[in-house]
Amino acid sequence: MSELLTHSEQELRDAAGLAVELAGRRGVGARASASNNGFAKIEVQAGEVETAERSGSQSLSITVFRGGQRGSASAATFDRAAIERVVEEAILIAGQVQPDTDAGLAPTEWLARAGPQPEMFAEGRRDPETLMAAAFAIDHAADAIAGASNGSLRVGQSAAVGSEEIWALATSDGFCRSSRTSNDGRWCVMLAQDDGGSTSDYWQSQERRPEDLLLAEIIAQRAADRVGSALGARSIKSNRTPVLFDARTAATLAGELAGALTGMAQYRKMSFLADPMGRAVCAPHVNLSEDPFEPLGLASGGFDSEGIAGSARSVVRNGVAEGLFLSAFTARKLGMAPTGNANGYYNLRLTSEADGGGWQAMLRRLGTGLVVTALHGGSTDPASGNWTRAVNGLWVENGAVVHAVTDVTLAGSMPAMLKGIVAIGSDVERQSAIRTGPILIDEMQIGGSA
Amino acid sequence: MNGGDFAIERIRERLLAPANLDDAAIGRALGELAGGGADIADLYFEATSVRSWRLEGGKVTNGSFAMRQGVGARAAHGGSVSFAHSADVREQPLRDTVRAVRTLAHHGDTVRHPQGVELNRRASEHSLYLPAETVAVEDAAAWIALLERIDQTAHAADPRIARVDANVRAFDTSILVANADGEIAADIRPITILSMMVVAEQGGKRARGQAGIGKRAGLAAFDRASVDTMVGAAVRMALHNLDAVPAPVGEMPVVLGPGYPGVLFHEAVGHGLEGDHHRKRLSAFEGKVGQRIAAPGVTVIDDGGLPDLLGSLGVDDEGAAPDRTVLVDDGVLTGLMQDRLNAGLMNQRSTGNGRRQSYADLPMPRMTNTFLANGTHDLADIIASVDRGIYATEFDGGQVDIVTGRFNFTTIEAWLVEKGKLIAPVQGATLIGVGHEALQHISMVGNDLGFDTGMATCGKQGQTVNVSVGQPSLRIDRMTVGGQAS
């Protein structure tokens, strides 16, 4: 058994199965899940351990159904008395609420009783000593870079984290499966200072297998490069210009597109893409695809929290929405078939058939305009699509960076921004579930004070 | 009555006695935790139940109940903190957790208190908020009726209201913290949060409105008048935004209404005065304490001891009584907010701002109730003074970058002001500024201090806690407004 976990997959399947069985004896259908997570984290600053943390958590939750009435309850233990209490509480709740004919277990023919599970777990050393060595390696690498910077750079925090999780799902239809995942992360925060004050930025590497993580020297160097390029930042004047989102900030836009296509947003009328199926939602050269089965993908999964498998598919093709992210519940609400997305979307890839090219080519395509490297605060109004943020970035003229930018706002309308995508670059980065290159948008409103 | 022996007894019954954990066992665990010369060693026990009811499509069709409990064990040697936690609070798992901390700390096997720590210094009682039943299933019918009435009232208010979502989340939390100095403190923290969102539709346009009420009490505190006020606010916001035109862009005067817009001071001043950022030399305010950052008349306070507000604490999560910390005194940047760790390392004292999201998270300096003190102007005069700018009454949260001091917050209910008059509702816009510069431009402070309705939360390093923010209305002469209209 893993050093981080306190339970086995079999114990979790047994706990979830017991909850469903106890519910069945009370005459209600049920779906139960059990999870156990273990994690260790070391944060280092200025050559010293800042925090060393080691923890585990567990949870058992159940949703019971009785003719459209439902109730959910959870507890943080797996002993029988606690499971009995959880079942009892869920049944009490179901007895109070009004029925919703769309609520219920997933259609039994949709259950992924035997399908393939992608690789989501890798053995690896995740003990505190290993993580401490990894965090110190980043700290040392960053310290060397700062030492050679003539005082312009300073090392912030360096950190290493490892976690493992097991999860089991059982339903009254006899579905009972479990899965195991692992996660490894490393990051480095660097600060830069000049007459204008201090600023900070970070680089992070996240994988399911420690061997796949970026080297400490690369993490530190990329953090230093990012923060170094922000030195000398100043505001620019209010203006409408083309805007190039770097790969990190582009992933936020891709996530907002996906969020607007979830069943929950759709049936609650909280999506800026109303009734999107079969309609153009992006520029005609843009595609969004989903793959639940990518080996060691950060958002891979063999089945969702209702027991339904996702599929490798196109969600947006040639700018037109072809699919939504649906659970059994939201699918019923919308009169559609479930897509196995009860826990959200799996690995996504945003691409364009328009020729984008590498970073320098994208800067040339931008011509004169704003590169966005960081988004702060702000909001995307899910009902109207109004999009507003504080941003940091770079001012570019004729394809060349002129100076770093701060103290500006950026505003647009999300539907117009998606249709205004000119190109997507080939320097693709992955941020959790999402892969995209830099996104160039035709025009947005900058607010500044220069 | 809350806190003191009363609260200790309550969590003993709820969590410790069922796990056969007595004071002597806690003392033994603390003795071991403090070994190797720890400067701070403490145990934080928590039991929380959460009940929710959710309304959509006119019916309450969903409810949930969650129970969690556990203990977090911390030992600090200088600025180096070791931490582990367990959901099982029986003596053996507790000792295992303590041992995990000792292993992480690498500070040898010496036991500081071989006989165990004697827990003989008890925190005093308080009455900032009282224990209240918040999660009883017997309240279900009343909560469901209340949620259904919210739906009916909102739809009846205007035919353009196309959808109403509402939910109530009630928390029943008991905490106990004990440390190697023999201090023991407990607190009972009831919280109930009722919130709603509406969508208005007209001619293919959609707009949202939201409102909520958070109380340190149960069902009985949610009277009809205050619920109707909440519904009215959500409907008004949705209809306002349905008619909204693009917000203006660029530098202009900004008038903020009373209450939640006080999030400005939480972001622009508060976070930059948290002790941990100063100890680590990360705050843009480092070296600016004692300097004038605002005009005379601008006084900002963090006070964890205001009755019934959601940021108040009978004791903080390290057992300290809450202070009233003046952050900006008549325009001059003054105090820091501290927890034990950072206060100790900076040779200061804790201000009772040590807070944590749960037993599974480490405490750090956090705000409680943060507000701007009253001035003398009338809101009408403040609006009338603006030639062209915006007037904002509700915000969708805010953020600050500690290192640069740059903050932002985004309107969700605002108007364009011209020649002293409200001209038209405007769409959401992000307002930005730099903490030590923006407040210099405050030129008028109103006389109508109010607090948020109990919905404010604060996120820091992944941990969310309830806070309260407040202010009287005010005018800022120059601020960058990030609208879509050129």
Side-chain angles (χ1 to χ4, degrees):
Chain A
M1 193 191 292
S2 145
E3 204 182 316
L4 289 175
L5 296 171
T6 48
H7 294 77
S8 68
E9 286 189 63
Q10 185 62 51
E11 285 169 348
L12 264 59
R13 287 195 298 269
D14 290 348
L18 175 61
V20 167
E21 185 195 326
L22 292 172
R25 284 189 210 158
R26 304 280 302 272
V28 296
R31 176 174 68 223
S33 65
S35 66
N36 175 209
N37 173 291
F39 108 115
K41 179 172 78 172
I42 305 288
E43 295 172 329
V44 168
Q45 182 153 28
E48 281 187 23
V49 174
E50 188 180 8
T51 57
E53 182 173 350
R54 188 167 166 166
S55 51
S57 63
Q58 64 223 23
S59 172
L60 179 120
S61 52
I62 189 168
T63 300
V64 302
F65 300 97
R66 187 168 63 188
Q69 288 178 306
R70 66 184 148 160
S72 301
S74 68
T77 51
F78 296 146
D79 61 72
R80 189 185 174 99
I83 295 175
E84 284 174 350
R85 168 98 194 270
V86 165
V87 170
E88 175 65 26
E89 291 285 351
I91 290 173
L92 275 174
I93 292 164
Q96 296 286 339
V97 300
Q98 297 219 46
D100 180 340
T101 50
D102 296 320
L105 290 167
T108 179
E109 67 273 20
W110 282 90
L111 293 176
R113 292 175 193 274
Q117 283 212 58
E119 192 180 354
M120 294 183 283
F121 177 85
E123 295 289 351
R125 293 196 55 190
R126 301 184 174 96
D127 57 282
E129 288 70 27
T130 300
L131 297 174
M132 200 169 297
F136 273 118
I138 299 169
D139 186 59
H140 291 153
D143 204 44
I145 295 168
S149 73
N150 295 322
S152 69
L153 298 182
R154 182 153 72 90
V155 186
Q157 185 186 71
S158 302
V161 57
S163 72
E164 297 179 1
E165 179 160 325
I166 48 177
W167 175 73
L169 174 70
T171 77
S172 304
D173 299 313
F175 180 98
C176 188
R177 295 184 76 180
S178 59
S179 64
R180 170 179 291 242
T181 55
S182 54
N183 255 298
D184 299 282
R186 307 283 186 266
W187 68 85
C188 177
V189 179
M190 293 282 277
L191 292 93
Q193 56 218 350
D194 62 9
D195 298 341
S198 292
T199 185
S200 71
D201 208 333
Y202 70 94
W203 196 270
Q204 177 179 357
S205 177
Q206 192 192 357
E207 299 291 346
R208 292 209 183 274
R209 183 165 58 191
E211 292 85 343
D212 294 340
L213 291 163
L214 290 177
L215 292 174
E217 291 74 14
I218 295 176
I219 295 170
Q221 188 62 53
R222 291 191 183 172
D225 290 347
R226 273 190 77 98
V227 75
S229 72
L231 280 173
R234 60 181 196 264
S235 189
I236 50 179
K237 68 180 193 312
S238 299
N239 198 0
R240 294 189 79 82
T241 75
V243 175
L244 175 60
F245 289 85
D246 75 355
R248 185 186 289 177
T249 52
T252 303
L253 294 188
E256 289 179 345
L257 165 62
L261 295 174
T262 61
M264 197 72 92
Q266 286 296 326
Y267 94 82
R268 288 187 176 163
K269 298 180 189 256
M270 289 300 278
S271 170
F272 53 79
L273 299 174
D275 193 18
M277 287 294 286
R279 291 179 200 266
V281 296
C282 295
H285 52 89
V286 174
N287 298 311
L288 180 69
S289 61
E290 182 183 38
D291 183 4
F293 302 109
E294 178 191 328
L296 299 175
L298 292 177
S300 295
F303 47 88
D304 69 6
S305 57
E306 295 178 309
I308 300 177
S311 60
R313 61 175 178 147
S314 163
V315 179
V316 175
R317 191 197 300 268
N318 299 328
V320 175
E322 290 193 331
L324 301 175
F325 302 100
L326 301 171
S327 64
F329 176 70
T330 60
R332 288 188 192 108
K333 286 279 173 212
L334 294 164
M336 298 173 70
T339 60
N341 293 102
N343 330 24
Y345 43 79
Y346 297 102
N347 307 295
L348 296 180
R349 189 182 292 268
L350 188 73
T351 56
S352 163
E353 286 162 22
D355 185 20
W359 182 241
Q360 292 302 326
M362 289 299 282
L363 287 179
R364 283 193 297 276
R365 259 172 223 288
L366 171 68
T368 295
L370 179 68
V371 170
V372 176
T373 57
L375 302 169
H376 303 288
S379 71
T380 305
D381 187 328
S384 70
N386 182 60
W387 189 99
T388 172
R389 295 286 187 287
V391 303
N392 286 33
L394 304 166
W395 179 249
V396 172
E397 290 179 7
N398 302 315
V401 174
V402 180
H403 64 83
V405 173
T406 187
D407 297 329
V408 295
T409 60
L410 188 63
S413 164
M414 199 63 198
M417 288 156 63
L418 293 171
K419 289 198 173 152
I421 294 175
V422 176
I424 299 176
S426 57
D427 290 338
V428 173
E429 284 178 26
R430 178 178 64 170
Q431 309 283 334
S432 297
I434 295 172
R435 275 191 182 80
T436 177
I439 296 177
L440 176 60
I441 290 178
D442 56 357
E443 193 180 75
M444 293 181 71
Q445 179 66 50
I446 297 164
S449 55
Chain B
M1 186 66 66
N2 198 348
D5 289 344
F6 173 81
I8 291 173
E9 207 44 51
R10 283 281 291 266
I11 192 164
R12 216 191 289 285
E13 283 167 28
R14 180 175 177 182
L15 181 66
L16 306 181
N20 287 319
L21 198 68
D22 58 17
D23 273 14
I26 295 173
R28 284 192 293 274
L30 279 169
E32 191 165 350
L33 189 63
D39 299 301
I40 297 175
D42 59 13
L43 293 171
Y44 181 90
F45 296 88
E46 177 195 352
T48 293
S49 299
V50 189
R51 185 177 293 285
S52 76
W53 301 102
R54 169 167 204 88
L55 171 132
E56 61 177 355
K59 298 184 295 189
V60 174
T61 57
N62 213 342
S64 70
F65 184 67
M67 298 165 280
R68 63 165 189 263
Q69 77 290 315
V71 57
R74 168 176 72 153
H77 298 78
S80 185
V81 178
S82 302
F83 179 61
H85 60 83
S86 162
D88 194 334
V89 303
R90 289 173 297 181
E91 182 162 16
Q92 193 52 50
L94 174 61
R95 297 292 282 271
D96 291 345
T97 304
V98 164
R99 227 155 276 143
V101 174
R102 293 291 309 272
T103 304
L104 287 168
H106 293 293
H107 278 276
D109 290 326
T110 54
V111 174
R112 167 87 68 83
H113 306 279
Q115 308 305 316
V117 172
E118 193 184 343
L119 298 171
N120 52 12
R121 298 168 58 194
R122 289 162 176 252
S124 52
E125 288 164 340
H126 73 87
S127 52
L128 286 178
Y129 40 87
L130 299 177
E133 176 59 77
T134 51
V135 299
V137 73
E138 291 75 19
D139 290 342
W143 274 121
I144 289 168
L146 186 151
L147 289 165
E148 287 172 346
R149 206 170 63 78
I150 287 173
D151 179 85
Q152 292 152 10
T153 312
H155 280 293
D158 195 287
R160 290 171 289 176
I161 298 299
R163 185 173 170 91
V164 179
D165 284 277
N167 72 79
V168 59
R169 284 173 299 134
F171 300 81
D172 176 11
T173 298
S174 303
I175 66 107
L176 179 145
V177 56
N179 64 34
D181 298 333
E183 294 172 329
I184 182 167
D187 197 19
I188 299 162
R189 298 173 175 171
I191 286 184
T192 305
I193 292 175
L194 176 65
S195 63
M196 67 179 294
M197 175 147 346
V198 300
V199 179
E201 273 183 337
Q202 186 174 31
K205 265 184 87 175
R206 280 180 187 170
R208 72 178 158 149
Q210 63 196 40
I213 304 170
K215 302 253 193 199
R216 285 197 169 273
L219 173 68
F222 291 79
D223 59 277
R224 179 175 282 242
S226 55
V227 173
D228 285 352
T229 300
M230 174 190 77
V231 175
V235 168
R236 193 174 59 243
M237 187 186 293
L239 299 178
H240 171 101
N241 286 321
L242 200 55
D243 294 333
V245 300
V249 68
E251 281 195 309
M252 65 192 72
V254 171
V255 178
L256 302 178
Y260 184 74
V263 68
L264 165 69
F265 296 94
H266 177 102
E267 304 296 353
V269 178
H271 278 297
L273 290 173
E274 290 165 340
D276 48 346
H277 302 311
H278 282 255
R279 178 173 68 81
K280 297 179 197 170
R281 295 178 44 227
L282 294 174
S283 173
F285 283 157
E286 193 198 347
K288 291 196 167 64
V289 174
Q291 289 183 13
R292 173 165 298 284
I293 66 155
V298 174
T299 293
V300 183
I301 296 159
D302 183 85
D303 188 346
L306 301 174
D308 297 322
L309 291 183
L310 267 71
S312 294
L313 296 166
V315 290
D316 75 358
D317 294 327
E318 300 180 307
D323 261 9
R324 177 181 174 93
T325 307
V326 179
L327 307 179
V328 177
D329 188 1
D330 211 23
V332 175
L333 202 59
T334 49
L336 297 185
M337 290 168 283
Q338 293 284 17
D339 64 356
R340 278 190 76 193
L341 177 77
N342 292 286
L345 293 167
M346 295 174 74
N347 205 18
Q348 299 181 0
R349 62 179 190 84
S350 167
T351 54
N353 287 83
R355 303 185 66 186
R356 60 206 294 174
Q357 176 175 283
S358 78
Y359 75 88
D361 300 285
L362 276 167
M364 53 186 157
R366 301 297 296 261
M367 280 173 266
T368 59
N369 310 301
T370 312
F371 62 98
L372 173 71
N374 250 334
T376 55
H377 291 275
D378 286 332
L379 173 59
D381 296 338
I382 298 176
I383 293 172
S385 75
V386 174
D387 186 53
R388 184 172 187 277
I390 66 163
Y391 168 54
T393 50
E394 291 292 343
F395 285 87
D396 210 8
Q399 247 191 16
V400 66
D401 180 331
I402 294 301
V403 175
T404 64
R406 287 173 166 83
F407 65 89
N408 65 76
F409 52 146
T410 301
T411 68
I412 189 169
E413 187 176 75
W415 285 261
L416 178 67
V417 184
E418 283 181 5
K419 307 282 179 219
K421 299 261 187 314
L422 305 188
I423 297 297
V426 294
Q427 293 169 354
T430 300
L431 312 187
I432 60 171
V434 185
H436 51 276
E437 293 171 3
L439 304 193
Q440 314 255 14
H441 302 303
I442 294 175
S443 58
M444 299 170 88
V445 177
N447 53 14
D448 51 357
L449 171 63
F451 284 87
D452 70 288
T453 60
M455 302 293 291
T457 60
C458 168
K460 179 178 174 185
Q461 290 166 29
Q463 293 192 45
T464 301
V465 297
N466 293 103
V467 295
S468 192
V469 295
Q471 67 168 34
S473 48
L474 59 85
R475 173 184 160 134
I476 302 174
D477 288 342
R478 210 171 81 193
M479 198 167 211
T480 300
V481 175
Q484 280 193 55
S486 47

